[in-house]
Amino acid sequence: MKIAIIGYGYWGPNLVRNFSLAENSEVSWVFDLSEKQLDRVKKSYPNIKTTTNYQDILHDPETDAVAIATPVFTHFELAKKAMISGKHVLIEKPMTSSVKESNELIQLSQKSGKVLMVDHTYLYTDAVQKIKDLIVTGQIGKLQYIDSTRINLGLFQRDVNVLWDLAPHDISICNYLMDDFPIAVQAVGAAHTDNNLANIAYLTLFYNDNKIAHFNCSWISPVKIRQMLIGGDQKMILFNDLETTEKLRIYDKGYSIVPESDRNRLLIDYRIGDITIPKIPQTEALASMAKDFINAITTHSVPLSSSKSGLDVVKILEAAEKSIQNKGQYIEF
Ligand SMILES: NC(=O)c1ccc[n+]([C@@H]2O[C@H](COP(=O)([O-])OP(=O)(O)OC[C@H]3O[C@@H](n4cnc5c(N)ncnc54)[C@H](O)[C@@H]3O)[C@@H](O)[C@H]2O)c1
């Protein structure tokens, strides 16, 4: 499998490294508009061809697939050209900057039979896989809420608001853990620059069965926090991504309504039990993601981070942006 990497800025080098190391794959080209970035490739990987002309890759019959790690607003055009040229396509999150574009790419992939996949890296982390396992095996009881904080003094993106930049991770994890798509979205945010792109935002997703998720995303926090609470009616999980070894804590905490309580006198019984820290392997999520992409191409299987999950994330982001513009409007799907 020969793969070309498109974009060699911050994230592209991670794709080059992982696709170079993956079984049955070889990086054939790196394309970037910047010669300076390509000089970095030549130094680290003298055997990989570099180009500032996309046509070199599109017309190379030996290159089977492209992996796109460029700014969001360029994803659609680059992916569309690659699909039309008969390549399989992997796109960094978020898949595109609109639902219309995502739908068009999905139609193209259905027509050509080529794989279209998005890199929702977090789905491949051992921590998220462990949480999923705890949920599906009933160990935390009935899932009730997800509450996530993803804040730091971050790089302001010039083309998208903070939700488009940070929330794809939370949304993709949330849809995966809830095994569902929300029924409605509500978001508020504020832009402290003159481009009207919110640099701090709060997003709420409402799911069936009274399940709820809330995300706090910010580029203007003095501290870096990457925490997610996953609440079940039996146990609750704290996922702290900044921890190196103890990423998950499972709290055997819960509550129950005392049977004789009524509307006016609600009596709650609290249960406070042990806290356990499961052992989580530390495999690199991107290596598993690369493997899944190659596997999807060779076995025609649907990857975990499918184009459908990419479209779902974009649908939520688009609705969230509309909600922010309309001062927190409740938007139903
Ligand atoms: N999966 C993750 O956890 C993760 C983490 C970071 C970034 N990303 C995603 O990766 C993508 C790139 O982000 P980044 O932080 O590396 O951006 P970046 O700005 O650091 O790098 C982008 C690179 O693309 C090049 N480029 C821009 N337009 C191009 C075009 N039309 N054709 C070819 N090259 C072009 C630029 O010269 C630059 O080298 C984004 O979609 C981002 O959301 C994903």
Side-chain angles (χ1 to χ4, degrees):
M1 191 73 51
K2 291 199 173 165
I3 297 171
I5 309 298
I6 316 303
Y8 198 79
Y10 163 63
W11 199 247
N14 293 326
L15 294 179
V16 173
R17 181 170 49 80
N18 277 284
F19 279 111
S20 297
L21 292 173
E23 254 179 62
N24 300 326
S25 114
E26 187 185 313
V27 175
S28 52
W29 291 92
V30 173
F31 160 46
D32 199 296
L33 296 177
S34 153
E35 286 282 4
K36 213 173 109 202
Q37 304 288 46
L38 296 179
D39 286 343
R40 292 167 57 214
V41 182
K42 287 173 200 153
K43 268 196 188 141
S44 309
Y45 302 94
N47 295 331
I48 297 179
K49 290 173 278 185
T50 59
T51 181
T52 52
N53 182 359
Y54 199 22
Q55 298 302 321
D56 289 339
I57 292 164
L58 300 180
H59 293 149
D60 176 11
E62 293 204 336
T63 294
D64 305 286
V66 303
I68 300 171
T70 53
V72 183
F73 72 94
T74 65
H75 288 182
F76 173 68
E77 282 301 331
L78 290 166
K80 186 176 170 182
K81 282 180 183 154
M83 296 235 90
I84 290 170
S85 303
K87 314 288 185 203
H88 302 279
V89 175
L90 169 73
I91 314 181
E92 268 310 320
K93 61 82 198 163
M95 191 153 90
T96 60
S97 40
S98 75
V99 171
K100 187 170 170 278
E101 290 175 348
S102 288
N103 274 326
E104 193 174 329
L105 292 184
I106 288 174
Q107 274 168 15
L108 277 173
S109 90
Q110 283 165 348
K111 226 159 100 190
S112 67
K114 300 288 172 186
V115 172
L116 172 67
M117 171 172 159
V118 60
D119 174 19
H120 291 146
T121 318
Y122 269 85
L123 300 187
Y124 296 91
T125 58
D126 295 311
V128 169
Q129 285 303 316
K130 178 71 187 176
I131 298 168
K132 181 76 178 172
D133 179 61
L134 289 166
I135 294 170
V136 298
T137 54
Q139 293 183 61
I140 67 164
K142 194 168 163 228
L143 182 58
Q144 293 180 322
Y145 71 87
I146 290 179
D147 189 329
S148 173
T149 306
R150 190 176 294 277
I151 60 175
N152 65 318
L153 205 54
L155 200 64
F156 281 57
Q157 302 291 325
R158 278 163 298 167
D159 54 333
V160 289
N161 71 23
V162 67
L163 290 182
W164 282 88
D165 184 36
L166 300 182
H169 292 310
D170 300 296
I171 298 169
S172 59
I173 295 171
C174 197
N175 285 346
Y176 177 56
L177 296 181
M178 297 274 191
D179 197 17
D180 206 355
F181 184 78
I183 50 174
V185 165
Q186 200 166 32
V188 288
H192 300 101
T193 51
D194 56 14
N195 62 6
N196 202 26
L197 293 173
N199 45 268
I200 180 166
Y202 306 95
L203 167 64
T204 308
L205 304 182
F206 302 89
Y207 288 83
N208 277 312
D209 210 14
N210 210 18
K211 290 190 292 242
I212 190 165
H214 182 262
F215 312 128
N216 168 3
C217 296
S218 168
W219 292 321
I220 56 167
S221 156
V223 290
K224 180 168 180 169
I225 303 177
R226 297 277 185 269
Q227 283 193 0
M228 184 176 265
L229 280 169
I230 299 100
D233 66 356
Q234 302 293 315
K235 291 184 183 171
M236 302 173 198
I237 306 167
L238 172 63
F239 170 22
N240 184 352
D241 196 34
L242 296 186
E243 282 279 350
T244 42
T245 50
E246 300 180 359
K247 284 191 185 288
L248 298 186
R249 278 167 195 265
I250 306 164
Y251 291 81
D252 186 8
K253 286 190 178 185
Y255 64 91
S256 52
I257 317 281
V258 177
E260 59 268 27
S261 64
D262 57 38
R263 242 181 119 85
N264 301 322
R265 227 167 69 85
L266 201 61
L267 297 172
I268 309 281
D269 252 352
Y270 293 96
R271 184 174 44 75
I272 299 183
D274 292 337
I275 302 166
T276 47
I277 302 173
K279 191 168 180 307
I280 311 272
Q282 291 196 32
T283 42
E284 187 174 354
L286 261 194
S288 309
M289 188 283 298
K291 197 173 158 192
D292 200 18
F293 182 54
I294 295 161
N295 199 38
I297 296 171
T298 50
T299 67
H300 306 287
S301 56
V302 178
L304 174 62
S305 186
S306 64
S307 55
K308 155 95 171 51
S309 76
L311 169 67
D312 285 350
V313 168
V314 173
K315 274 184 190 166
I316 292 168
L317 290 169
E318 203 174 84
E321 190 168 343
K322 191 172 159 204
S323 179
I324 291 176
Q325 280 159 5
N326 293 299
K327 302 201 178 325
Q329 183 191 357
Y330 181 85
I331 295 177
E332 288 180 75
F333 287 108

